[in-house]
């Protein structure tokens, strides 16, 4: 069965019958609808090569992580050193309609790409992004319109060919109703950056700053304009793959195996597989089976333990699921050296499995 995009947040409770049916209806669709996106002017090979030379020189000078990213992760200067392999200094400013977007840093591992940017409108402008409402989408043009593209050395978009999630978070800058926003844009890839991808740039679509209005049930424009841009990035994976093929427990009498995990100082990704596919039809003889399957693991059922016995707290980012396999992504609430980790424990149903974390292999 074809995999479909399901940006879902697992929780310990199974969904209501109405929620479950809505999810199943989406899974049973045979076509994936992709909103057409405005094409950006591509960078030439020479242009990207020259820009990469500039960024390499900048990297030699700018070796730190932006303090706002450190505050976001709650990281100390020592912990910041663990993120340096995935940090790319950027200094790109785009102006339109009196406002400026300045992108200052990209932070990447295999499954997560973070972009830090400042958006500044003219003095006296109120940029109301409804920051107190955690449950709405916000950013440039909505989710699909603003999905960035990874570029190859020729400036061509790399075909992701996988499920993804993309959202924008407004970081607290002390005044939610002034003319300035600090934006943290996050891209999550279900299958991760592939070894054959030769990533040399990133294209951001920045048309119209919007937020979703739950009362109007539509996106509203906070500030109109187009701040789309392209810039070079280089990628070095700071994580490791954990090869696993063990049964972790059962859901509804069906074995659930852990097939693979990935760890970086900031990300944990876990892939599960059912021995028997779950039925996705409404006449399923086991009501709620799909909900129990996608809720097989969550942050309360996963434990990362260090060599000194400390447990690293996790925040669930979401994931995707089909009738037989699923992937779930977590953010480590404490930036952690992989060398300090000892065990990953997963609890599925009444079972559990301890996965040793010594001798992690490079994620290639």
């Amino acid at each position: 069965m074809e995999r479909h995009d399901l940006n879902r947040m697992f929780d310990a409770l199974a969904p209501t019958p109405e929620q479950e049916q809505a999810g199943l209806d989406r899974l049973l669709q045979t076509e994936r609808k992709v909103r057409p996106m405005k094409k950006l002017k591509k960078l030439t090979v020479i242009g990207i090569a020259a820009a990469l030379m500039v960024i390499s020189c900048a990297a030699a000078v700018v070796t730190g992580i932006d303090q706002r990213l450190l505050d976001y992760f709650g990281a100390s200067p020592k912990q910041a050193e663990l993120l340096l392999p995935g940090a790319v200094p950027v200094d790109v400013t785009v102006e339109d309609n009196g406002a400026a977007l300045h992108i200052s840093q990209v932070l990447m591992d295999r499954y997560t790409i973070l972009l830090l940017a400042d958006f500044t409108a003219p003095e006296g402008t109120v940029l109301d992004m409804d920051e107190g409402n955690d449950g709405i989408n916000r950013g440039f043009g909505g989710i699909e319109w603003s999905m960035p593209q990874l570029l190859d050395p020729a400036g061509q978009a790399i075909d992701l060919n996988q499920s993804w999630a993309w959202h924008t978070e407004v970081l607290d800058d002390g005044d939610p109703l002034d003319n300035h926003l600090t934006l943290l844009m996050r891209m999550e890839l279900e299958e991760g950056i592939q070894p054959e991808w030769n990533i040399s740039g990133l294209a951001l679509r920045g048309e119209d700053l919007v937020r979703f209005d739950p009362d109007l049930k539509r996106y509203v424009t906070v500030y109109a304009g187009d701040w789309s841009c392209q810039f070079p990035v280089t990628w070095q994976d700071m994580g490791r793959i954990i090869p696993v093929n063990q049964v972790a427990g059962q859901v509804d009498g069906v074995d659930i195996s852990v097939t693979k995990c990935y760890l970086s100082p900031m990300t944990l990704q876990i892939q599960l597989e059912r021995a028997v596919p779950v039925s996705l039809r409404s006449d399923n003889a086991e009501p709620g089976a799909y909900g129990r399957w996608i809720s097989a693991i969550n942050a309360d059922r996963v434990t990362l333990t260090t060599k000194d016995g400390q447990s690293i707290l996790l925040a669930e980012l979401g994931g995707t699921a089909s009738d037989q396999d699923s992937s779930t992504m977590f953010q480590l609430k404490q930036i952690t050296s992989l060398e300090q980790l000892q065990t990953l424990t997963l609890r599925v149903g009444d079972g559990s499995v301890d996965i040793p974390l010594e001798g992690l292999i490079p994620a290639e």
Side-chain angles (χ1 to χ4, degrees):
M1 174 173 291
E2 181 182 354
R3 178 185 301 275
H4 295 270
D5 293 342
L6 286 176
N7 296 329
R8 47 85 179 165
M9 291 301 296
F10 294 152
D11 54 41
L13 300 176
T16 65
E18 292 79 12
Q19 292 172 327
E20 181 173 347
Q21 185 59 51
L24 300 186
D25 290 342
R26 187 176 180 188
L27 275 174
L28 290 169
Q29 293 174 355
T30 58
E31 292 184 5
R32 175 186 174 188
K33 295 180 180 179
V34 179
R35 195 173 182 179
M37 299 182 184
K38 178 180 178 182
K39 289 188 176 180
L40 299 173
K41 181 180 179 181
K42 305 300 183 183
L43 293 174
T44 63
V45 177
I46 296 177
I48 279 194
L52 284 174
M53 290 179 65
V54 172
I55 214 171
S56 297
C57 294
V61 178
V62 185
T63 58
I65 306 291
D66 191 290
Q67 185 60 47
R68 291 168 297 180
L69 276 177
L70 298 184
D71 293 341
Y72 176 78
F73 285 110
S76 67
K78 184 176 181 180
Q79 290 171 320
E81 296 177 4
L82 302 173
L83 299 176
L84 287 178
V88 181
V90 182
D91 186 10
V92 173
T93 300
V94 183
E95 298 181 353
D96 189 39
N97 195 21
L101 175 71
H102 176 244
I103 302 174
S104 56
Q105 192 156 66
V106 173
L107 183 63
M108 307 169 64
D109 62 18
R110 180 163 292 263
Y111 289 90
T112 305
I113 301 173
L114 298 174
L115 289 80
L116 182 67
D118 293 278
F119 185 87
T120 307
E123 289 289 341
T125 303
V126 175
L127 298 174
D128 183 6
M129 297 292 281
D130 196 6
E131 297 176 33
N133 191 341
D134 293 333
I136 66 170
N137 293 318
R138 50 177 68 84
F140 290 105
I143 296 179
E144 291 184 350
W145 275 104
S146 62
M147 175 69 178
Q149 293 176 316
L150 298 175
L151 305 177
D152 64 20
Q156 300 295 316
I158 296 172
D159 185 7
L160 300 182
N161 194 30
Q162 60 181 281
S163 298
W164 49 263
W166 169 251
H167 62 273
T168 299
E169 184 175 349
V170 180
L171 301 185
D172 184 13
D173 62 2
D175 189 347
L177 296 177
D178 64 1
N179 67 322
H180 173 265
L181 299 170
T182 300
L183 303 177
L184 183 63
M185 296 169 274
R186 177 190 291 269
M187 179 178 178
E188 296 160 6
L189 300 174
E190 179 206 4
E191 298 177 21
I193 294 174
Q194 299 302 299
E196 66 271 16
W197 295 357
N198 187 5
I199 299 174
S200 296
L202 193 148
L204 176 68
R205 305 139 211 251
E207 185 174 347
D208 291 342
L209 187 67
V210 304
R211 64 174 171 82
F212 188 80
D213 188 311
D215 295 325
L216 298 176
K217 294 181 172 57
R218 62 177 176 84
Y219 283 98
V220 296
T221 300
V222 176
Y223 200 95
D226 190 352
W227 299 272
S228 300
C229 57
Q230 297 184 103
F231 49 89
V233 296
T234 55
W235 178 68
Q236 176 183 344
D237 194 8
M238 57 178 171
R240 294 292 182 266
I241 284 177
I242 308 166
V244 187
N245 190 14
Q246 298 184 51
V247 174
Q250 291 188 338
V251 172
D252 295 327
V254 177
D255 284 348
I256 306 298
S257 297
V258 187
T259 57
K260 186 172 68 173
C261 300
Y262 169 88
L263 262 173
S264 82
M266 65 179 186
T267 302
L268 168 64
Q269 200 256 17
I270 299 172
Q271 297 182 14
L272 299 180
E273 183 178 72
R274 287 176 57 97
V276 178
V278 66
S279 174
L280 300 179
R281 300 193 176 279
S282 57
D283 59 356
N284 181 9
E286 298 183 57
Y290 178 73
R292 291 189 291 274
W293 155 231
I294 66 172
S295 302
I297 61 169
N298 53 47
D300 294 330
R301 290 180 165 270
V302 180
T303 304
L304 266 177
T305 307
T306 63
K307 293 178 180 178
D308 60 4
Q310 178 186 1
S311 293
I312 305 299
L313 296 179
L314 303 170
E316 191 169 350
L317 299 175
T320 62
S322 71
D323 60 344
Q324 192 164 14
D325 62 286
S326 75
S327 64
T328 308
M329 195 177 305
F330 303 87
Q331 178 178 300
L332 278 62
K333 289 190 175 182
Q334 177 180 326
I335 300 300
T336 306
S337 168
L338 301 187
E339 288 73 18
Q340 295 177 348
L341 295 172
Q342 179 166 305
T343 307
L344 170 63
T345 301
L346 279 69
R347 293 172 292 280
V348 176
D350 293 330
S352 68
V353 61
D354 291 328
I355 301 169
L357 299 179
E358 296 181 357
L360 301 181
I361 64 173
E364 296 179 353

